[in-house]
Amino acid sequence: MRVDYSPGSIDPGSFYRLLTAVIVPRPIAWVSTLTADGETANLAPHSFFTVASTDPPVVQFTSVGRKDSLRNVEATGEFVVNIASEPFLDQINETATDFPRDKGEFDAVGIGTEPSLRVKPPRVASSPVALECTLHATLGLGNSTVVFGRVVHAAVSEEVLVDGDPDIRRLRPLARLGKNEWGTVGELHERARIPYRDWERRN
């Protein structure tokens, strides 16, 4: 037996909670931006985040409502996606606080910065990976805006590389789940993709 939910028959907040409870785990883009005057650096986690294209490399995150990250990206055309790692859970959660627009999260929460190479917004110094992006496009959908950023530079800590590739056990990425739940990397399962000719032989 199933319980049926119709978006038109319940309030949007309840359906939002349903979606975020079942579309899990969600990777987190810890997005750093600058205000148009360059005076304030903003930092906020966005859990609607993924890859949009590999060639050219484009990532995307969604702003539900018009948040500071979105306003800054629209004004400057630049942002950095910092990978949200497990040791920084509390700091990441604190940067989701609704600080006033002129109060930067880096300073408020006490997060160290480092300069980016190709864009003006700073990186999170302690994040193992930073993807420097220029704005490719935005797409408005209902109460949300999808931000597409072309990755113009990637900076990866040597500490998370194994044989030249980032290793999940060293990255220790966080994920958002439902309600106030967060997830970490648990048991890993490795499976190679099966070519059709091999699948046919086996079946």
Side-chain angles (χ1 to χ4, degrees):
M1 167 145 319
R2 295 179 183 263
V3 177
D4 296 313
Y5 298 86
S6 172
S9 63
I10 61 177
D11 68 277
S14 295
F15 208 80
Y16 169 88
R17 290 191 292 275
L18 172 67
L19 288 176
T20 55
V22 299
I23 301 175
V24 292
R26 298 186 308 280
I28 301 164
W30 206 9
V31 177
S32 52
T33 57
L34 278 177
T35 52
D37 59 12
E39 293 297 316
T40 305
N42 176 266
L43 182 63
H46 293 266
S47 68
F48 296 172
F49 164 58
T50 191
V51 177
S53 168
T54 60
D55 187 15
V58 175
V59 296
Q60 68 180 72
F61 74 90
T62 298
S63 174
V64 180
R66 293 195 54 79
K67 297 178 180 175
D68 290 343
S69 298
L70 173 62
R71 293 191 185 98
N72 291 346
V73 170
E74 289 176 334
T76 67
E78 297 181 337
F79 63 96
V80 179
V81 172
N82 305 275
I83 298 304
S85 290
E86 183 180 346
F88 313 113
L89 169 58
D90 289 334
Q91 290 179 310
I92 294 163
N93 187 52
E94 283 187 63
T95 60
T97 301
D98 56 343
F99 289 106
R101 183 158 168 72
D102 61 351
K103 190 174 184 65
E105 287 81 359
F106 280 100
D107 291 336
V109 179
I111 297 171
T113 66
E114 67 181 22
S116 296
L117 187 67
R118 296 282 305 277
V119 297
K120 291 181 180 177
R123 306 171 188 159
V124 173
S126 55
S127 175
V129 180
L131 304 176
E132 301 178 12
C133 303
T134 57
L135 179 61
H136 175 75
T138 59
L139 176 63
L141 294 169
N143 68 344
S144 303
T145 303
V146 185
V147 177
F148 298 92
R150 181 161 182 165
V151 181
V152 294
H153 184 72
V156 182
S157 169
E158 291 181 346
E159 295 178 356
V160 301
L161 296 176
V162 174
D163 297 328
D165 294 318
D167 183 89
I168 191 73
R169 297 170 185 84
R170 297 187 180 190
L171 279 174
R172 298 172 66 190
L174 286 164
R176 281 291 274 129
L177 307 174
K179 301 177 182 177
N180 292 319
E181 301 160 339
W182 300 67
T184 58
V185 175
E187 186 178 356
L188 299 179
H189 303 274
E190 294 192 27
R191 296 287 187 281
R193 219 171 257 195
I194 305 169
Y196 179 65
R197 63 182 179 276
D198 295 341
W199 183 89
E200 265 194 317
R201 273 193 228 107
R202 288 169 38 181
N203 294 276

